[in-house]
Amino acid sequence: MPIPEEVTGDEIDKDVRQELQSLPKTLAEDVARNLVMVARLIDEDPEGAYGYSRVALRLASRVAAVREAAGFAAYASQKYSEALAEFRAARRMTGNVELWPVMADCERGLGRPEKALDMAGAPEVHKLDKAGQVEMRLVAAGARRDMDQLDAAIVTLQSPELASNSVQPWTARLRYAYADALLAAGRESEAREWFAKAVEADRDGSTDASDRLAELDGVEFTDALDEDGENDTADASDAVAATDKADEPEAAPQHSGADDAENDENDENDENDESAVEAKNDEGVDKD
C-alpha cells in the first residue's frame, strides 16, 4: 500500500521504536511507516488503517506492538474475532493486562456479553490502572445493557469516579454512559442532569452529549446556512443577470421597407416646399 513520502517512521512512539530495534534497519523502517499510517487513519478510515496493519503484521508478526496495532485496527473495523486473537497474542508476548478491557469488549462484539462480565470480575482487573478500571466498568455496564439489565447497568456505573467533581480523561465518557443508561430506563430528568455534566467534562468533543441534551430540551436545529446560501445564490444570480442586461448595447432600431418609402416621400415633399418658397421669392423680386 502506498505511503506518503513525508512519513518516515520516526513519528512512532519511542517504546514502539525500541521494540522494532530487534529487526533489520530497513525492515524496521518499513514496519514503522506502516504503523504510522495505522495511527493516522484508524479514526477516520478504519478499513484503510486495517490494510496498513496487515502489511506491518506480515513483515513483523513477532513484535508485540505490531500485534497490538493490528488488533486495534481490526477492532475499529468491527472485526472482533480477529481483534481478539491479536490482543491475546500481544498479551502473551508482554504479559501486560492493559488490553483486558478491550478484549472484553470484543467478547461483547461477538455476542458474548456473559463472557465480558466474567472478565470484568477476573483478578486481572485489579492489576489495571485507574483509567483501565474505568474502561472495564464501561464495558461491564455495556454487557449488562446487552442482556437488557438496565438497572444493573446503572448500578455498575455508579462509582467514586462518577461522583467525583474532578475532570479526568475518562470523566465525559463515564458520565455520558450513565446518562444514556438512565434515559434507557425512562429516568429522563436524571438523564438530562448527567448529560449536562458530561457536556461540562467533554472538553475535546469526544461525545455527542451536547446534542443529546439539546434533544431532551426540545431544541431543533435548522441548517440556516444552507437556506441563506440558496437565497444568496438566487439573489446573486438575479443581480448578475440584471447587470449583464444593463451592460448590453441598445439594439439599433429596426426599419421596414414601408418606413423607408415614407421617409423618401417626406424628403421629396420637403424639396418641393423648398422649390415653392424659392419661386415665390423670385416672383417678389421681379415685382420690385
Side-chain angles (χ1 to χ4, degrees):
M1 297 181 68
I3 299 176
E5 292 182 2
E6 66 269 17
V7 176
T8 64
D10 293 335
E11 301 89 342
I12 62 173
D13 185 82
K14 63 180 182 180
D15 292 335
V16 177
R17 190 181 302 113
Q18 186 173 358
E19 281 192 60
L20 296 179
Q21 288 180 354
S22 61
L23 303 174
K25 183 178 179 181
T26 302
L27 180 59
E29 290 176 355
D30 289 342
V31 174
R33 295 181 72 206
N34 278 281
L35 292 181
V36 171
M37 295 305 297
V38 172
R40 283 190 176 188
L41 298 177
I42 196 165
D43 291 330
E44 297 183 0
D45 182 11
E47 288 296 332
Y50 176 77
Y52 284 104
S53 75
R54 301 307 296 176
V55 175
L57 191 61
R58 187 169 62 249
L59 296 174
S61 61
R62 295 185 179 181
V63 176
V66 172
R67 303 301 291 263
E68 184 175 329
F72 278 111
Y75 178 79
S77 302
Q78 299 183 2
K79 297 175 174 64
Y80 298 116
S81 180
E82 190 173 329
L84 185 57
E86 297 300 339
F87 289 142
R88 284 173 174 168
R91 183 169 177 268
R92 283 195 303 269
M93 292 177 179
T94 63
N96 202 318
V97 297
E98 65 182 16
L99 294 173
W100 197 252
V102 71
M103 290 170 63
D105 206 38
C106 286
E107 295 288 359
R108 285 186 60 212
L110 292 169
R112 301 194 291 248
E114 299 88 350
K115 179 62 176 176
L117 287 176
D118 289 342
M119 294 179 69
E124 285 82 354
V125 176
H126 301 293
K127 300 176 184 178
L128 295 169
D129 60 12
K130 181 62 67 177
Q133 290 179 3
V134 171
E135 194 65 34
M136 192 71 247
R137 191 178 293 276
L138 288 167
V139 173
R144 291 292 185 188
R145 292 190 62 173
D146 293 342
M147 300 167 67
D148 294 326
Q149 299 175 2
L150 288 177
D151 290 339
I154 291 171
V155 172
T156 299
L157 293 169
Q158 292 171 347
S159 61
E161 293 80 17
L162 179 67
S164 176
N165 291 324
S166 66
V167 176
Q168 302 295 334
W170 59 77
T171 303
R173 293 178 58 236
L174 184 58
R175 292 177 180 180
Y176 182 94
Y178 189 59
D180 195 44
L182 288 169
L183 186 62
R187 296 159 63 174
E188 186 171 316
S189 61
E190 293 175 83
R192 189 204 175 282
E193 176 187 352
W194 282 97
F195 275 128
K197 290 182 177 181
V199 171
E200 293 174 0
D202 194 0
R203 296 169 180 172
D204 58 357
S206 61
T207 73
D208 64 346
S210 59
D211 293 339
R212 300 292 299 277
L213 182 62
E215 183 180 349
L216 286 175
D217 288 341
V219 177
E220 295 183 4
F221 296 99
T222 57
D223 199 345
L225 181 61
D226 286 348
E227 294 179 1
D228 291 343
E230 291 177 2
N231 292 335
D232 291 345
T233 302
D235 292 343
S237 299
D238 293 342
V240 170
T243 302
D244 292 343
K245 186 174 182 180
D247 290 341
E248 291 178 358
E250 294 186 4
Q254 301 293 319
H255 298 289
S256 65
D259 292 336
D260 293 339
E262 182 178 350
N263 290 337
D264 292 342
E265 182 179 351
N266 290 337
D267 291 342
E268 185 178 350
N269 290 338
D270 290 342
E271 290 176 358
N272 292 336
D273 291 342
E274 290 177 359
S275 298
V277 171
E278 290 177 357
K280 186 175 182 179
N281 289 339
D282 293 342
E283 181 181 351
V285 171
D286 292 342
K287 287 182 178 181
D288 292 341

